Amino acid sequence: MFKKRLVPYSTVIELTLECNMNCMHCGSSAGKTRDYELSFDEMKKLFQDLSELGCGLVTCMGGEPFLRKDWYEIMKAIKDYGMNFTVMSNGYNINDEIVKKIKPLQPYAVTVSIDGATAETHDKIRGVKGSFDRCMNALKLLRTADIPTSVITTVHKLNFKEIPDMKNFILNRNIAWQIQIADPIGRFPKKFHLTEKEFYSLALFIATSRKKYGIEKLPVMGAHCIGYHSKVLPNVMLSPRWEGCQAGMSVLGIQSNGNVIGCLSLPDNFVQGNILEKSIKEIWNDSSFCAFNRNFSKEQLKGNCIDCKHGKSCKGGCAAVSISTAGKLHSDPFCLYNIEKQASS
């Protein structure tokens, strides 16, 4: 029996760890550049290898990707190797010049992080006064230039109650909205993490908003950390169904120093090589890469996932959430099915 060939279709790369904000929920504690960050030529070789592996989409993030002086050349190289790219930005530096330069490259999307319905909340979370107004202006510039635009909102106790009001500046603006939860890693204090009840209410908000407004008026979806087999709510994720953590399966993360990890949301102890020592082809094609997913069996399930009927395909939910909240893999407690099951027992 032949195994399906694994392809890193979606690769996320840090262009730099340098950042001009001090976000309280930053999992990578971004701010200063790493001691060493990949050169442009090293990135070009990486993109060539990724293209040959079958990668279709490269997400450029940071830190803040637009702080890297050669961001344009990097993104052009991605396109030159036949791949699409998205940019995940905090929005602070996006101006007319950046919009004018990036538009001809036809990005798949440019995303701006907005974490509150008010400037007071957003600026407090982001650690920079005036950042909310700069982000709103970035959205305006991107949409005026007809560049595909998305908003990413990371939810925790400090902005949870403002999520319903945030839809007012996204509704009917042809802006996609991705909602995700903050994990207690990096700078994020665990005391601000959502409870399971709040998490379920967030999923309920996404589901009801999609039903009320439709995907054209309000294209809102949950990230990989929100969902899983609800018996009550329709699927709230972008993907049509949850098929387990995709780290090392169809997703790949690369830190700005060349470290390779199955997903950039995972902690550093999951790093499995560096492209300066082995090519990304060698690392990806090594059977031991992300063995926790590639060689998964139901016997690895833990906690409430052990006897779950969805365990074989679900693999215990999002690996990053599982590690950061339960302290172990294959045991994500933030699962709609599990929360509903506990509520009914």
Side-chain angles (χ1 to χ4, degrees):
M1 182 177 180
F2 292 99
K3 283 190 174 182
K4 180 182 177 182
R5 176 176 173 261
L6 298 175
V7 174
Y9 177 78
S10 178
T11 298
V12 184
I13 181 170
E14 290 177 351
L15 298 196
T16 178
L17 201 61
E18 182 181 4
C19 192
N20 49 5
M21 289 193 181
N22 188 35
C23 304
M24 64 175 296
H25 56 255
C26 182
S28 54
S29 300
K32 296 181 180 179
T33 58
R34 296 184 187 273
D35 291 339
Y36 180 82
E37 298 193 325
L38 296 174
S39 69
F40 173 65
D41 286 341
E42 288 163 343
M43 285 202 174
K44 275 189 68 177
K45 176 62 170 67
L46 168 65
F47 298 147
Q48 180 182 358
D49 288 349
L50 285 173
S51 178
E52 292 174 3
L53 280 172
C55 177
L57 181 69
V58 178
T59 297
C60 302
M61 63 174 293
E64 170 50 42
F66 287 122
L67 289 181
R68 179 150 173 160
K69 291 181 172 59
D70 56 354
W71 67 263
Y72 174 83
E73 288 77 15
I74 289 171
M75 294 173 197
K76 184 177 184 300
I78 294 171
K79 296 290 284 194
D80 288 345
Y81 282 109
M83 299 176 289
N84 286 324
F85 74 92
T86 64
V87 187
M88 294 178 63
S89 170
N90 62 36
Y92 195 82
N93 275 16
I94 294 178
N95 54 25
D96 288 309
E97 182 181 355
I98 285 178
V99 170
K100 185 177 180 180
K101 286 183 70 174
I102 201 170
K103 181 176 171 62
L105 294 178
Q106 298 181 308
Y108 184 79
V110 176
T111 71
V112 176
S113 296
I114 299 182
D115 292 313
T118 65
E120 180 182 5
T121 300
H122 176 92
D123 292 357
K124 179 180 180 180
I125 292 170
R126 291 267 148 185
V128 177
K129 190 173 178 59
S131 62
F132 180 80
D133 293 337
R134 295 278 289 261
C135 288
M136 296 304 290
N137 185 59
L139 290 179
K140 181 180 178 180
L141 292 174
L142 291 165
R143 290 310 306 130
T144 300
D146 201 28
I147 294 173
T149 308
S150 299
V151 164
I152 292 182
T153 300
T154 304
V155 186
H156 43 76
K157 287 186 181 295
L158 294 185
N159 61 5
F160 171 71
K161 292 182 179 179
E162 293 188 16
I163 300 304
D165 291 332
M166 286 189 64
K167 72 176 184 297
N168 295 330
F169 51 78
I170 298 174
L171 187 65
N172 289 319
R173 293 189 62 190
N174 198 24
I175 295 174
W177 188 13
Q178 177 178 303
I179 296 177
Q180 58 194 32
I181 62 171
D183 295 328
I185 56 175
R187 285 196 287 260
F188 185 63
K190 193 168 187 175
K191 64 181 180 180
F192 294 133
H193 195 267
L194 295 180
T195 64
E196 291 180 16
K197 183 178 179 180
E198 289 167 334
F199 171 82
Y200 195 88
S201 296
L202 183 63
L204 179 61
F205 166 77
I206 297 172
T208 55
S209 295
R210 289 169 69 142
K211 182 177 180 180
K212 180 177 180 179
Y213 299 105
I215 203 71
E216 291 187 1
K217 291 183 178 180
L218 187 67
V220 58
M221 72 288 295
H224 56 274
C225 53
I226 301 180
Y228 321 143
H229 309 295
S230 170
K231 294 193 291 185
V232 179
L233 304 178
N235 178 43
V236 298
M237 295 182 292
L238 178 62
S239 55
R241 60 186 177 276
W242 175 254
E243 295 182 334
C245 173
Q246 290 300 298
M249 305 296 288
S250 64
V251 171
L252 177 64
I254 300 167
Q255 296 177 347
S256 59
N257 59 3
N259 281 345
V260 180
I261 194 167
C263 169
L264 282 181
S265 296
L266 290 167
D268 283 350
N269 59 303
F270 280 81
V271 168
Q272 289 184 259
N274 187 290
I275 64 166
L276 299 179
E277 299 167 1
K278 286 185 178 180
S279 73
I280 194 63
K281 289 182 178 179
E282 292 177 278
I283 296 172
W284 178 264
N285 289 326
D286 188 325
S287 60
S288 67
F289 185 69
C290 288
F292 65 92
N293 271 340
R294 294 184 175 185
N295 301 327
F296 171 78
S297 66
K298 285 191 69 174
E299 289 69 35
Q300 293 171 262
L301 294 171
K302 301 177 182 68
N304 292 322
C305 300
I306 290 177
D307 297 319
C308 179
K309 67 178 182 179
H310 300 292
K312 185 176 181 180
S313 60
C314 179
K315 300 180 182 178
C318 171
V321 178
S322 186
I323 284 288
S324 62
T325 59
K328 48 187 177 285
L329 287 168
H330 312 299
S331 183
D332 182 356
F334 288 82
C335 161
L336 301 182
Y337 178 78
N338 179 54
I339 294 171
E340 290 169 352
K341 184 178 179 181
Q342 289 184 340
S344 62
S345 62

